[in-house]
Amino acid sequence: MLKNYSSVTEFYLLGFPGSKELHSVPFATFFFFYSVTLIGNMVIILTVCVDKRLQSPMYFFLGHLSVLEILITSVAVPLMLWGLLLPGMQAVSLSACCVQLYLYLSLGTSELLLIGAMAVDRYMAVCNPLRYTSIMNSHTCLWVVIVSPVFGFLFQIWPAYATFHLTFCKSNVLDHFYCDRGQLLKLSCDNSLFTEFILFLMAVFIIVGLMIPTIVSYTYIVSTILKIPTASGRRKAFSTCASHFTFVVIGYGSCLFLFVKPKQTQAAEYNRVASLMVLVVNPFLNPFIFTLRNDKFIEAFRNVMKRCYQLLKD
C-alpha cells in the first residue's frame, strides 16, 4: 500500500464490509437488481421504438431516460459485482477512476436535465393542451435529448478535473465500491475546502435549479387536475403524471443527500447507501414506476410481444 509517496497511480476499493463468505448475499441481490434494470429498461426502449402509438414526447423522453439509466448503472455496478467476487481489495488505475467518476457525474447531470424536461412536458400536456403539440414538437424533443447530454458532459469537466488535480498522498485505499468523489477528497493532502465549496455551489445550481421549476410545474399540474369536474378525468390525468412525479421524488431526493452538502467528505457508510440508491435502486425501479400502471404502455408491450411471437413462429 501507498505510504509516503506524493502521487498515486492506482487506487484500491474496499467495497463492502464483512468477510468474502458473507458477500454472496449482496452479490446475488445486486446482480438480480442489475439484470432486471437492464432487461426492464431495454424492454421500454424496444417498445417505444417499435409501437407507433407511443410516438409522443412523453414516451420519447422515457425511452431516452431508460438509455441513461442503463448507462449510469453500468458505469459502476459491474465493477462492484466483480469486487464482491474478488478475494481482497480491487485495484483501479488512476485514469480508470477518473473516467468512471466523470461518466457517473456527466450521465447523472444529463438525467436530471431530462427529468426536468419531462416535468415541463407533463405541465404542457395538462395545463396547456391546446398548445401542447405546437410547442412539444419533434424538433423540440430532439433538441432536448441532444442538449441534455452535451450540457451534462461539459458541465462536469471542471469537477472531474479539480478532483483529480489534487495530490493524493494520505493513502490509496478508497472506502467505497466505486471511485466516490467524497472518498477521493479524503485522501488528498491539499487543502480542498475551496474545491469542495465550488463543487457544492455547482451541485446546488444543477440539482436545486432543476428541482424548483419541476416543483412549480407539478404545483400547476395538481391545481389544474383538481379543477377537472369528473372523477374519471382527474384519475386519468393523475395516472399520466404520478409515475413521473414518483421518479422525480426518488431521483432528486437521492441526489440531494449525496451531493448538496458543503462538506463532501461524508462518512463512507452514508455515501455508500446514497450511492446504492442512485446506481442500483433508482434504475431498478424505473421500469416498474413508468409501466405497471400505464395501460397504454402495457397494451403496446403486449402487441410487441405478439409480433415477436409471430416472427419467431413464421
Side-chain angles (χ1 to χ4, degrees):
M1 297 297 148
L2 184 71
K3 291 183 180 179
N4 296 316
Y5 295 93
S6 59
S7 62
V8 168
T9 57
E10 65 179 4
F11 293 100
Y12 290 89
L13 304 178
L14 280 180
F16 293 89
S19 63
K20 287 297 174 182
E21 290 75 18
L22 299 176
H23 284 177
S24 57
V25 174
F27 173 82
T29 303
F30 296 141
F31 181 77
F32 170 75
F33 273 49
Y34 183 58
S35 300
V36 172
T37 297
L38 294 181
I39 296 170
N41 283 287
M42 283 191 290
V43 164
I44 291 176
I45 295 168
L46 177 65
T47 306
V48 170
C49 290
V50 172
D51 198 287
K52 293 182 179 179
R53 288 171 298 178
L54 301 183
Q55 303 305 306
S56 66
M58 174 183 171
Y59 294 104
F60 180 74
F61 292 146
L62 178 58
H64 283 82
L65 179 66
S66 294
V67 172
L68 288 174
E69 291 284 33
I70 290 173
L71 293 175
I72 288 173
T73 193
S74 297
V75 164
V77 174
L79 185 68
M80 177 186 72
L81 293 173
W82 180 244
L84 287 169
L85 294 177
L86 288 177
M89 291 183 289
Q90 188 175 13
V92 181
S93 68
L94 179 66
S95 57
C97 202
C98 179
V99 170
Q100 185 188 54
L101 180 63
Y102 175 64
L103 288 176
Y104 169 58
L105 295 175
S106 300
L107 291 168
T109 304
S110 304
E111 181 174 314
L112 290 177
L113 289 165
L114 187 58
I115 292 173
M118 292 174 73
V120 174
D121 170 70
R122 290 299 83 206
Y123 164 77
M124 293 300 302
V126 175
C127 301
N128 293 283
L130 297 179
R131 301 178 60 194
Y132 178 71
T133 54
S134 61
I135 295 176
M136 300 303 296
N137 52 44
S138 58
H139 180 268
T140 302
C141 295
L142 187 61
W143 184 84
V144 168
V145 299
I146 291 175
V147 169
S148 296
V150 169
F151 179 86
F153 276 81
L154 291 176
F155 186 81
Q156 294 297 342
I157 289 176
W158 187 85
Y161 170 79
T163 302
F164 287 93
H165 191 65
L166 299 170
T167 302
F168 303 104
C169 61
K170 292 181 181 178
S171 173
N172 62 346
V173 177
L174 284 171
D175 190 6
H176 216 291
F177 59 82
Y178 82 107
C179 295
D180 175 65
R181 185 168 64 192
Q183 297 305 307
L184 286 166
L185 292 172
K186 272 188 177 182
L187 303 183
S188 171
C189 320
D190 303 330
N191 187 347
S192 61
L193 288 178
F194 177 74
T195 301
E196 289 186 54
F197 180 68
I198 298 299
L199 293 173
F200 167 72
L201 291 180
M202 295 181 73
V204 169
F205 171 76
I206 194 67
I207 297 175
V208 178
L210 287 170
M211 191 169 63
I212 290 174
T214 302
I215 293 173
V216 171
S217 296
Y218 273 99
T219 301
Y220 279 106
I221 288 171
V222 172
S223 176
T224 303
I225 290 175
L226 292 176
K227 294 176 183 178
I228 298 175
T230 62
S232 60
R234 289 194 298 270
R235 194 180 304 111
K236 182 179 180 181
F238 268 121
S239 67
T240 61
C241 302
S243 58
H244 179 253
F245 183 72
T246 303
F247 188 80
V248 164
V249 171
I250 297 173
Y252 279 118
S254 303
C255 291
L256 280 172
F257 280 112
L258 193 57
F259 296 111
V260 183
K261 51 193 179 187
K263 190 68 175 175
Q264 295 288 312
T265 53
Q266 289 271 357
E269 293 76 14
Y270 177 96
N271 277 7
R272 195 179 285 114
V273 172
S275 297
L276 284 173
M277 285 294 298
V278 175
L279 289 165
V280 178
V281 178
N282 290 358
F284 169 77
L285 292 176
N286 177 45
F288 299 102
I289 290 173
F290 283 104
T291 62
L292 282 182
R293 296 184 62 186
N294 191 322
D295 295 334
K296 187 175 180 180
F297 183 90
I298 292 174
E299 185 180 350
F301 174 68
R302 286 173 179 167
N303 289 336
V304 170
M305 291 296 99
K306 288 178 183 177
R307 291 168 65 179
C308 292
Y309 174 75
Q310 291 296 331
L311 288 174
L312 293 173
K313 189 177 179 179
D314 295 337

